[in-house]
Amino acid sequence: MATYLYRLGRFAFRQRRWVVFVWLALLAAGIAGAATLSGPTANGFSIPGTESQRAVDLLEKRFPQAGADAATARIVFQAPQGAQLSSPDNSALVKSTLGRIQSAPQVAAVADPFAAKSISADGRTGYAQVAYDVTAQEVTPEAQDAVAAAVEPARAAGLTVEYGGDAMQVQDEQSLAEVIGIGVAAVVLLITFGSLIAAGLPLLSAIVGIGIGATAITAATGFIDIGSGTPILAVMIGLAVSIDYALFIMSRYRHELSSGLEPEEAVGRAVGTAGSAVVFAGLTVVIALAGLFVVDIPFLTQMGFAAAFTVVLAVAIALTLLPALLGMAGRRVLGGRIPGLRGGDPESSNGKPTAGRRWAGFVTRRPVAVLLVSVIGLGVLAIPAADLELGLPDDSTAAAGSTQRKAYELLSDGFGPGFNGPLMVVVDVASSADPKAAAASTANVVRALPDVAVVTPPTFNPAGDTALLTVIPVSGPSTTATKDLVQAIRDAPETGGAEVSVTGGTAFNIDISAKLSDALLPYLSLIVGLAFLLLMLVFRSVLVPLKATLGFLLTVAATFGAVVAVFQWGWLAGPFGIEGQTGPIISMLPVFLVGIVFGLAMDYQVFLVTRMREEHVRGAAARTAVVDGFSHSARVVTAAAVIMVAVFSGFILSSETLVREIGFGLAFAVAIDAFVVRMTIVPAVMALLGRSAWWLPRWLDRLLPDVDVEGERLRRQIEPAVPEPREPELASR
């Protein structure tokens, strides 16, 4: 592989104007497509194969009037202390408010709380259900503003009026996350290279790649339904890996130039060696992301493929556009030094022991002690993960003080926690001899179950073959008792030929958590198995991939512990801007985080251990290979990790809960994996294993193709044909 990439790098160098033109043309086409072809993104999701989804599909077919997938809102009224909501003045305020809401855009129906008897036992609190004729993602800001304006007169008259529901969810606004990430990346690159030109080229190539990826995904929204979080997450992953991949090739290029090679030859060798590591690192990330199809949840598959697409672009950009830009810059990447910054060749020690060499020496001299301290520390960080609770975001996790949060709390106080998580029970009586009796009998069976507060009378569709019950649990939406109730309703014996299914937001939450839990093991088996084979191919070792996988498990456990501590327990909630918004972790976060973290963890594994193997292949002793390989790559890997942490941290500012939790989880995971697992545990284990780290059975060695990721075969092929390198001093004249 190194030979092919060497030729590709030299081709891009020689044909630099055409290569740059092609990439800029793709960017222009993407921008044009995004501007003319894009459509709205979707906030909803489906879960094929679950009972909740089957019930919704049945309602859409037989009972579209029920609006199973339509947006809803709840308007909660509360009279002042000592007053009743049913008093003439207060009831008039309620009815006039609901009249204004009835005339608001996209509203289909408004229920009168007095007629529906949705008044609390003390008479102070009541709520009105508002049904819309569109889905939640189609509710316009104008429709939301109309509701906000409609409640103001009642508030001014002394009533407490709050509203919530999926129709009132705040649309995610574009944050400055990308700008923050690029800004920090620029600073780190300047410190690493000490040159504006050397720092600018990786950023420029990354921006072009992300621009193409983001605009292509945006243009695709005009043809397929794409979730609102998909473009954000694709940009998050793509931006981080784009800068990192370009950084590694740029670093190797400057190293080859500093050794006296001509620019074209230096580009070829940089792409042939560091580029090989980039290809295999990118493949592990793509495998982890594309493998999300195993979960069989469309929006997760969509996120995975979109992010994988940006990673493929990042690899292609690093192997072609960056060499072309280096061809335009030539030796100027060694110039333009910034006073006060070290710059120079980040892989060279200039005759002095670097911090990386000193650290590697310390770790390899005391491998057992370092290993024990690191593993115990990660174990302590992982302790909160034992308390992991999964759920979907609702108004209970809205910002403290928001009207959505206040409405949730008013309903819980006035009616009980279960009123915030009603269950929709669908009764299919098409095969029943007496549909009404069967539906009534089903209602009685459900009413007799534990933890049931209210069961509404059956509501039939015009054909009379489907009935709908609303069941209000005693317990809150995220409790074990409500989960048990859903299962009890589903397990209840059929009466009179009726088939019963449960759906609604709470049931969807339960079903998606169960499906994700069932899919986690097959997903892990797929990505770990494929990546293990890939790493075995790269390193020609059995123990190195095994060590890499075990290190990944430590990273994931510690990351889940940190996510639980911050987002569920509320530790450091203030600094992270989530004070008062703690609750269960988003259901899809574990599987999504596992996939991305695995891919990114293997990035640093490939970059660090490839240099160690390169030294080993060239004849260095086991411990010397570890120290030398580490010292060559430590500074660049440190810069790459800091950049990636900065990019992911910027997304903690997002108002979308899933994006915010993934941003924090990835930033923490990269920091732990890069600095504790890969830069501490890996050299310690490699020192303990010695030469056996590179053990591979002979029969397997014969079966595996030699991909030459360390570039040794390439070096033997090209060095005789390459003129003697000039001294750096003469080359710079």
Side-chain angles (χ1 to χ4, degrees):
M1 171 171 285
T3 303
Y4 294 113
L5 293 178
Y6 167 80
R7 294 170 183 167
L8 176 63
R10 295 190 64 171
F11 171 82
F13 183 96
R14 290 193 299 268
Q15 304 296 327
R16 46 191 172 272
R17 289 183 177 84
W18 279 108
V19 171
V20 171
F21 172 78
V22 168
W23 282 110
L24 291 180
L26 288 174
L27 177 60
I31 293 172
T36 58
L37 303 175
S38 63
T41 56
N43 289 326
F45 57 86
S46 61
I47 318 175
T50 62
E51 182 172 314
S52 296
Q53 190 63 51
R54 288 194 296 270
V56 167
D57 295 341
L58 180 66
L59 287 174
E60 288 178 350
K61 179 181 178 181
R62 294 190 190 173
F63 205 166
Q65 302 90 338
D69 61 345
T72 59
R74 278 183 172 181
I75 316 299
V76 186
F77 301 88
Q78 188 175 68
Q81 191 69 37
Q84 295 287 301
L85 202 61
S86 58
S87 69
D89 291 343
N90 289 337
S91 63
L93 287 172
V94 170
K95 290 179 179 179
S96 62
T97 299
L98 296 180
R100 287 188 291 272
I101 292 175
Q102 179 69 71
S103 60
Q106 300 180 312
V107 171
V110 179
D112 184 338
F114 300 106
K117 298 182 179 179
S118 51
I119 306 294
S120 63
D122 62 5
R124 285 189 61 213
T125 307
Y127 69 90
Q129 192 83 1
V130 181
Y132 285 75
D133 53 18
V134 294
T135 60
Q137 61 266 24
E138 295 171 326
V139 175
T140 63
E142 291 76 17
Q144 293 177 332
D145 292 342
V147 172
V151 303
E152 285 305 322
R155 285 177 174 173
L159 286 183
T160 298
V161 188
E162 309 294 349
Y163 50 84
D166 58 4
M168 296 293 108
Q169 61 189 353
V170 179
Q171 300 297 320
D172 189 43
E173 298 178 358
Q174 190 68 28
S175 68
L176 296 177
E178 297 89 341
V179 177
I180 293 171
I182 292 174
V184 174
V187 172
V188 174
L189 289 170
L190 283 173
I191 294 172
T192 302
F193 294 124
S195 165
L196 285 171
I197 296 174
L201 293 184
L203 285 176
L204 180 60
S205 63
I207 289 170
V208 172
I210 288 304
I212 294 171
T215 53
I217 293 170
T218 302
T221 59
F223 304 93
I224 57 176
D225 290 333
I226 292 180
S228 60
T230 298
I232 301 173
L233 292 169
V235 168
M236 179 198 301
I237 304 300
L239 181 60
V241 299
S242 293
I243 297 174
D244 274 13
Y245 295 166
L247 167 63
F248 279 96
I249 292 179
M250 169 65 80
S251 173
R252 193 58 181 258
Y253 172 69
R254 282 165 58 93
H255 176 69
E256 301 295 349
L257 277 184
S258 299
S259 300
L261 294 179
E262 292 296 329
E264 182 178 337
E265 182 64 24
V267 163
R269 292 200 184 192
V271 175
T273 52
S276 296
V278 165
V279 168
F280 281 99
L283 276 174
T284 58
V285 180
V286 169
I287 287 171
L289 291 168
L292 284 168
F293 78 89
V294 173
V295 182
D296 194 27
I297 295 179
F299 83 95
L300 269 184
T301 301
Q302 189 184 90
M303 284 182 175
F305 278 112
F309 170 65
T310 61
V311 173
V312 171
L313 274 177
V315 173
I317 287 275
L319 298 179
T320 56
L321 178 59
L322 181 61
L325 294 175
L326 291 174
M328 294 179 173
R331 291 185 175 276
R332 284 174 292 180
V333 297
L334 295 177
R337 299 284 179 82
I338 300 173
L341 294 180
R342 172 185 164 186
D345 177 9
E347 297 190 23
S348 172
S349 63
N350 294 323
K352 300 177 182 179
T354 61
R357 179 172 288 276
R358 289 195 298 269
W359 175 250
F362 170 81
V363 170
T364 54
R365 285 193 302 272
R366 304 167 180 83
V368 175
V370 168
L371 188 60
L372 286 175
V373 170
S374 301
V375 171
I376 291 171
L378 292 178
V380 171
L381 287 174
I383 290 174
D387 193 40
L388 177 67
E389 294 179 11
L390 300 178
L392 290 177
D394 57 23
D395 289 342
S396 67
T397 57
S402 65
T403 185
Q404 291 86 353
R405 179 69 168 270
K406 290 178 180 177
Y408 185 97
E409 292 170 349
L410 285 174
L411 277 176
S412 293
D413 294 341
F415 298 90
F419 273 76
N420 283 297
L423 306 176
M424 189 180 292
V425 178
V426 181
V427 186
D428 181 359
V429 290
S431 58
S432 175
D434 188 348
K436 291 188 176 181
S441 178
T442 299
N444 290 332
V445 170
V446 173
R447 198 173 285 116
L449 293 174
D451 205 55
V452 172
V454 176
V455 178
T456 62
T459 302
F460 281 86
N461 65 337
D465 58 1
T466 306
L468 198 59
L469 308 174
T470 298
V471 178
I472 307 294
V474 172
S475 305
S478 302
T479 62
T480 302
T482 299
K483 179 180 178 180
D484 293 341
L485 174 60
V486 170
Q487 192 59 48
I489 296 173
R490 290 171 172 173
D491 292 341
E494 296 180 2
T495 57
E499 296 182 11
V500 178
S501 54
V502 186
T503 187
T506 301
F508 261 112
N509 182 11
I510 293 169
D511 286 347
I512 194 172
S513 296
K515 185 158 189 173
L516 287 167
S517 177
D518 293 341
L520 188 58
L521 186 58
Y523 175 60
L524 268 174
S525 302
L526 173 71
I527 64 170
V528 171
L530 289 176
F532 187 91
L533 293 175
L534 190 64
L535 292 174
M536 191 162 58
L537 186 67
V538 172
F539 297 122
R540 309 197 71 77
S541 164
V542 173
L543 296 179
V544 170
L546 179 61
K547 167 185 59 64
T549 304
L550 294 176
F552 154 72
L553 295 176
L554 285 173
T555 297
V556 166
T559 300
F560 283 166
V563 169
V564 169
V566 173
F567 289 94
Q568 189 174 308
W569 291 359
W571 291 7
L572 300 176
F576 285 106
I578 58 169
E579 198 165 8
Q581 295 177 256
T582 57
I585 305 303
I586 302 292
S587 297
M588 64 286 300
L589 181 69
V591 68
F592 200 78
L593 204 58
V594 160
I596 300 176
V597 170
F598 183 82
L600 298 180
M602 295 307 105
D603 269 10
Y604 297 118
Q605 176 74 17
V606 169
F607 290 133
L608 274 171
V609 183
T610 296
R611 290 309 301 266
M612 296 178 188
R613 176 166 175 77
E614 189 173 330
E615 299 298 325
H616 169 73
V617 169
R618 292 181 179 179
R623 182 177 176 276
T624 302
V626 172
V627 174
D628 289 349
F630 188 94
S631 64
H632 279 308
S633 53
R635 189 172 177 217
V636 179
V637 168
T638 298
V642 171
I643 289 170
M644 200 171 277
V645 169
V647 170
F648 292 144
S649 295
F651 287 88
I652 300 173
L653 303 175
S654 173
S655 61
E656 191 163 326
T657 307
L658 177 61
V659 175
R660 186 170 55 201
E661 291 186 0
I662 287 181
F664 172 83
L666 290 180
F668 186 88
V670 168
I672 289 293
D673 194 81
F675 297 116
V676 180
V677 175
R678 307 302 155 188
M679 298 181 75
T680 303
I681 293 178
V682 165
V685 174
M686 295 291 286
L688 287 171
L689 291 175
R691 295 186 63 85
S692 61
W694 309 110
W695 173 77
L696 185 70
R698 289 185 179 180
W699 64 268
L700 188 55
D701 188 34
R702 290 192 297 269
L703 287 176
L704 293 178
D706 185 2
V707 295
D708 190 32
V709 71
E710 68 279 349
E712 180 62 19
R713 192 165 63 231
L714 169 65
R715 187 177 67 86
R716 291 197 302 267
Q717 289 175 358
I718 64 177
E719 281 197 347
V722 176
E724 284 296 319
R726 293 178 294 169
E727 292 296 324
E729 295 80 4
L730 296 175
S732 62
R733 291 178 185 173

